[in-house]
Amino acid sequence: MSPSAGVTRNTLRQQIADALRDEVLAGRLPPGREFTVKQIAEQYGVSATPVREALFDLSAQGLLASDQHRGFQVREFTVADYRAMAEARALVVEGLFRNPAERVAVRPEGLASIRRRAAEAVRAAKGGDLDVLIGYDLRFWRELGQFVLNPYIADFLTRLRVQAWVFAVHRLRRDGMDENVLWFGHEELVEAIARGDREQVHAEMCSYYAHALAWADRLAEGDGERNAEGNADGPAGPGSALPPQSPQPPESPGHCA
């Protein structure tokens, strides 16, 4: 194989992986959806090799499950999975702040772009545009992740955040979005970083993860109620609402994956 052919195949592999990831994040490939390499190759009009490689890449990222006989399946995350993601991210971030001088380096020249991402994410959240919100939110956190001096930690946090959105997107489309479940704190976090106010940055991050866990608790309660209704009267309808917020919700607004 010539070098140019190798580059072309690798580029195609990445393009297919990106396209499929977008389909999953948009909810067009729902949890549990099964497909084969042959089906995806025919859909995109390409050979099986880059498709197979792209699907294995997405499997390694935790977005797909593979089965030797049945092909690939969009992974279905549970509320317990989501809670574990939020707890893992919180623990990692807490560890970063124990000795920030050696693990985090804020570069002022990078803040302008992050401010734009923050503003667009908040605008999309307030407008209820989930597709736009997911894109800007992931870019926002990815660019913030460049301040973390350990690339393995940054990659780990990005992977968990993508998985969290895969879990959240169907719930949010089903139950709706408002200030009680969408996090609007992007801009406050950026400004705290710009001021070099590490205590406030830490507080914003703690609030962010507290809301993720509070949303998981409400979802678990709601699933329990829907299951109880289903056992008594048949399956609950797809538009079933979440239960009311817990009596003592966290102080700052919302959740974001």
Side-chain angles (χ1 to χ4, degrees):
M1 177 185 297
S2 67
S4 60
V7 170
T8 300
R9 195 185 83 182
N10 287 337
T11 302
L12 187 57
R13 165 186 182 171
Q14 187 62 53
Q15 289 175 341
I16 294 169
D18 290 344
L20 289 173
R21 186 186 301 107
D22 289 345
E23 292 290 298
V24 173
L25 285 169
R28 290 186 289 271
L29 282 176
R33 170 72 178 273
E34 295 181 352
F35 48 83
T36 64
V37 170
K38 183 173 184 287
Q39 290 170 330
I40 299 299
E42 290 176 351
Q43 176 181 336
Y44 287 102
V46 297
S47 66
T49 299
V51 170
R52 184 178 297 105
E53 292 170 340
L55 293 177
F56 279 122
D57 288 344
L58 294 178
S59 297
Q61 294 169 26
L63 301 186
L64 303 179
S66 60
D67 183 279
Q68 183 176 357
H69 304 290
R70 300 174 65 180
F72 294 83
Q73 182 182 68
V74 179
R75 186 170 174 185
E76 188 165 6
F77 294 105
T78 66
V79 174
D81 290 328
Y82 176 77
R83 168 172 277 280
M85 294 172 201
E87 289 175 344
R89 283 156 39 198
L91 287 171
V92 171
V93 171
E94 183 71 26
L96 289 172
F97 276 90
R98 287 177 187 167
N99 194 355
E102 295 181 3
R103 297 178 181 173
V104 180
V106 176
R107 291 176 288 278
E109 67 274 11
L111 287 174
S113 175
I114 295 173
R115 279 194 175 98
R116 289 194 296 273
R117 308 295 189 200
E120 292 294 341
V122 172
R123 187 177 298 115
K126 291 181 176 179
D129 192 332
L130 187 56
D131 291 335
V132 173
L133 169 60
I134 292 173
Y136 276 110
D137 181 76
L138 288 174
R139 292 187 188 101
F140 171 81
W141 290 107
R142 189 178 298 117
E143 291 187 21
L144 273 186
Q146 294 174 5
F147 293 160
V148 177
L149 298 181
N150 187 321
Y152 295 97
I153 291 176
D155 288 347
F156 174 73
L157 291 173
T158 296
R159 181 174 301 188
L160 285 181
R161 196 160 282 112
V162 171
Q163 291 177 358
W165 269 120
V166 171
F167 166 85
V169 63
H170 299 284
R171 304 276 184 162
L172 295 174
R173 291 195 193 283
R174 181 192 70 191
D175 300 320
M177 303 177 292
D178 58 32
E179 66 275 8
N180 291 319
V181 295
L182 290 179
W183 186 67
F184 298 158
H186 300 75
E187 291 172 302
E188 287 81 0
L189 177 58
V190 174
E191 294 314 311
I193 292 171
R195 293 193 305 271
D197 188 343
R198 294 188 181 275
E199 288 187 5
Q200 187 58 38
V201 172
H202 191 201
E204 294 288 345
M205 294 301 298
C206 287
S207 175
Y208 170 74
Y209 290 121
H211 277 289
L213 294 173
W215 190 56
D217 289 341
R218 295 199 300 275
L219 287 175
E221 183 182 347
D223 285 352
E225 290 185 1
R226 277 189 284 270
N227 289 338
E229 291 173 1
N231 291 335
D233 304 313
S240 302
L242 287 175
Q245 271 190 281
S246 55
Q248 296 180 334
E251 293 180 359
S252 59
H255 150 80
C256 193

